[in-house]
Amino acid sequence: MNRVSLAVSRAIARVTDSPLGPHQTAVLRIGLALTWLLFLLREYPHRQELYGPDGPWDWDLAAQLVSTNQAFTVLLWSDSRLWFEAVYALAVLAGLLLLLGWRTRTMSVLFMVGVLALQNRSVFMGDGGDNVLHIMAIYLVFTRCGRVWSLDARRARRADEARARGELPRDRVGPALWAVLGSVLLLAFLAGRTDGDWFIPAVLWGVWLALAVWWLVGRLARSGQPRILLDVVANVVHNGALLVIMAEACLIYATAGWYKVQGSRWQDGTAVHYPLHLEYFSPWQGLADLLSANGTMVMLVTYVTVVVQVAFPFTLFNRRVKNVLLTFMIMEHAVIAVVLGLPFFSLAMIAADAVFLPTSFLRRIGALAARAQGRLRSPASRSPAPPPRRPAGLPPGGPAGPAPVTGGVPGART
C-alpha cells in the first residue's frame, strides 16, 4: 500500500511540478508556425481567389455553411476587402511572432484565430495538412510552448537576472496588448459576432481572463503561494494538452493504417503506384517514374507504410522501436513532400511527430544551433584582443621589462 501511495504521489508531483516536454512543445510550436507562415506567403498572390472575395466559394456561400455547422471565422464578420487583407496580414504576423516565441500565449491564440478564420472561410482548400493544423492550433493554446527556444525564454532569463540584482522588471507591452485585444473581443461580443460556436469564444475569454489573473498575482501577491498555485494549474493544463496532442497523433496514424488495411489496393501492394502517375501529385514526373519503375519496391513501400502506421501507437512502450519507426515516418513525409508535391502536409505531420522525439536528441540539436548562431553573430569576438597601448615617452619594454602578451577571451565582447 505504501508503494502504491508513493507511486501515486510521484506521478502527481511529476504532473504538477513542471511542464513536461518543453523541447517537444517548442518544436511543435516552431513547426506549426513555420508551416502556416510558408503556406500563407506562398499563396499570397492567390489569396483573393483562395479565401477572399474573388474566390468561387464566395462570401454568401461561406456564410450559409457557417450558419449550419457553427464554425468560427472572423472573416465573415465583414465582406469588406480591407477586412480580408487585415485578417490575412494578422495571420501572417501571428505565425511569424509565434515562430519567434514572442508573447507565445497571446500569439498562440491569434495563430489559432488566423488558422480557423481562413480554413473555415473556404473549407475546400487544403490537402490534409490543413486538418492537422486546424486541430493542433487549438491544442497549442493550452501548452506552455515558449519555455525554451523563444524570445519569451530570453525575456524570462533577463527578468530573473533583474530580480537577483534587486530590481523589479517592468512589462508595459503585455498589459497594452492585453487591453487592445480585450477591447476587440468585447466589441465583437457586443456586436453579436461571437454567436454560434461557443467553444472558441470561451477559449478566447478564458485566456484573456487568465492572463489578467497571472499579471495581477505577479504584481500584487506578497507571498509566493498564489504564483505557485497558478504555476501548478498551468502545468496541469499544459501536460493534459500534451497528452491530448500525443493521443491525436497516434489516432491519426492508427485510423489511417486501419483504413488502408481495408482497401484492396493496399492489400495487393499497388496503392503507392497510382498517386505517382497522377498529374496533380507529380510535380517531378521523371522522379515519380523512376520510383514506380520497380514493382517490388512499390509493393514493399506500400506494405511497410501500412505496418508502420498500424504499429506506431503500440511502439510507444518501447523507446528504441518507437525511435526507429519515428525516423521512418519522418523520412516518409519528407519523400511525400518532394515526390508528391505536398510540402505543407508533410511539414504539419513532421511537426506533430516531433512531440515523440527524445529530449536528449532535441537538446543536442538546440546546442548545435546555439553554437552555430554564436559563430555567425560574433565572428569578431573570437579574434585576439589588441595589445594595450603604450603610454607616450616610454620604450617598448617600459621600465619593468617587456610588455605582457594578452589574448582575447573566446566569446568576450570587444
Side-chain angles (χ1 to χ4, degrees):
M1 188 66 179
N2 293 332
R3 292 182 180 180
V4 175
S5 301
L6 182 60
V8 172
S9 63
R10 287 179 178 177
I12 295 175
R14 182 172 176 80
V15 173
T16 58
D17 286 349
S18 62
L20 302 177
H23 295 83
Q24 286 80 357
T25 51
V27 175
L28 179 65
R29 166 181 60 83
I30 294 171
L32 294 179
L34 180 63
T35 302
W36 183 240
L37 182 62
L38 292 178
F39 174 78
L40 294 180
L41 293 179
R42 192 195 72 169
E43 301 297 344
Y44 184 80
H46 315 289
R47 64 192 184 282
Q48 297 286 353
E49 291 79 14
L50 291 177
Y51 302 108
D54 297 338
W57 190 253
D58 59 15
W59 193 90
D60 293 331
L61 291 175
Q64 293 178 20
L65 180 62
V66 168
S67 64
T68 302
N69 59 15
Q70 302 296 321
F72 178 85
T73 171
V74 299
L75 277 180
L76 295 182
W77 290 3
S78 173
D79 58 353
S80 169
R81 188 179 297 267
L82 179 62
W83 175 248
F84 167 77
E85 296 292 347
V87 172
Y88 199 93
L90 176 65
V92 172
L93 182 60
L96 176 61
L97 294 179
L98 185 64
L99 174 66
L100 298 176
W102 185 80
R103 309 285 172 174
T104 50
R105 183 70 69 182
T106 302
M107 289 305 117
S108 64
V109 173
L110 295 180
F111 176 79
M112 176 192 68
V113 170
V115 170
L116 298 182
L118 294 175
Q119 291 187 356
N120 290 336
R121 165 66 176 82
S122 298
V123 294
F124 300 107
M125 301 297 174
D127 52 13
D130 57 321
N131 294 326
V132 179
L133 274 173
H134 192 113
I135 297 172
M136 295 300 176
I138 299 175
Y139 296 155
L140 195 66
V141 175
F142 300 95
T143 64
R144 307 183 75 174
C145 55
R147 304 283 288 184
V148 297
W149 300 338
S150 66
L151 296 178
D152 283 352
R154 185 181 68 175
R155 181 164 52 87
R157 288 194 300 269
R158 292 179 176 178
D160 292 339
E161 294 172 357
R163 293 189 185 96
R165 295 191 301 266
E167 302 175 0
L168 182 62
R170 294 183 177 181
D171 181 18
R172 295 184 177 89
V173 177
L177 191 62
W178 177 86
V180 171
L181 296 180
S183 300
V184 174
L185 184 59
L186 180 61
L187 292 175
F189 174 77
L190 294 177
R193 301 300 184 181
T194 58
D195 296 342
D197 179 30
W198 64 269
F199 179 73
I200 299 301
V203 170
L204 298 179
W205 282 111
V207 173
W208 186 73
L209 294 175
L211 291 176
V213 173
W214 191 278
W215 185 85
L216 289 174
V217 168
R219 280 288 179 177
L220 303 179
R222 297 182 178 180
S223 64
Q225 293 182 354
R227 185 59 181 268
I228 293 175
L229 176 61
L230 291 182
D231 270 328
V232 169
V233 174
N235 293 336
V236 171
V237 173
H238 165 92
N239 295 330
L242 181 60
L243 178 63
V244 172
I245 290 172
M246 297 173 69
E248 184 69 36
C250 291
L251 184 63
I252 290 174
Y253 283 116
T255 54
W258 285 109
Y259 274 114
K260 286 182 174 66
V261 169
Q262 302 175 37
S264 60
R265 300 304 179 188
W266 291 93
Q267 293 175 7
D268 59 26
T270 60
V272 176
H273 172 81
Y274 292 100
L276 295 175
H277 292 277
L278 294 176
E279 183 179 358
Y280 182 79
F281 294 108
S282 299
W284 315 100
Q285 189 60 50
L287 181 59
D289 293 340
L290 179 63
L291 294 176
S292 61
N294 191 328
T296 303
M297 181 61 66
V298 171
M299 182 187 67
L300 289 176
V301 171
T302 303
Y303 285 159
V304 169
T305 299
V306 175
V307 170
V308 168
Q309 291 183 347
V310 172
F312 178 72
F314 302 99
T315 63
L316 298 181
F317 302 99
N318 189 302
R319 182 176 301 179
R320 293 182 179 180
V321 179
K322 181 262 295 183
N323 291 338
V324 171
L325 293 188
L326 188 61
T327 303
F328 176 82
M329 289 192 300
I330 292 176
M331 294 176 58
E332 183 183 33
H333 286 306
V335 173
I336 291 174
V338 176
V339 177
L340 298 182
L342 298 173
F344 303 112
F345 165 77
S346 298
L347 283 175
M349 289 305 304
I350 291 174
D353 294 341
V355 297
F356 300 104
L357 290 174
T359 303
S360 58
F361 171 76
L362 294 177
R363 285 178 175 173
R364 286 196 295 268
I365 295 298
L368 292 175
R371 204 173 299 133
Q373 182 183 12
R375 292 175 181 175
L376 292 175
R377 290 182 59 183
S378 56
S381 64
R382 298 186 302 274
S383 61
R389 292 186 177 182
R390 176 173 51 88
L394 289 179
V405 178
T406 60
V409 179
R413 294 184 180 180
T414 57

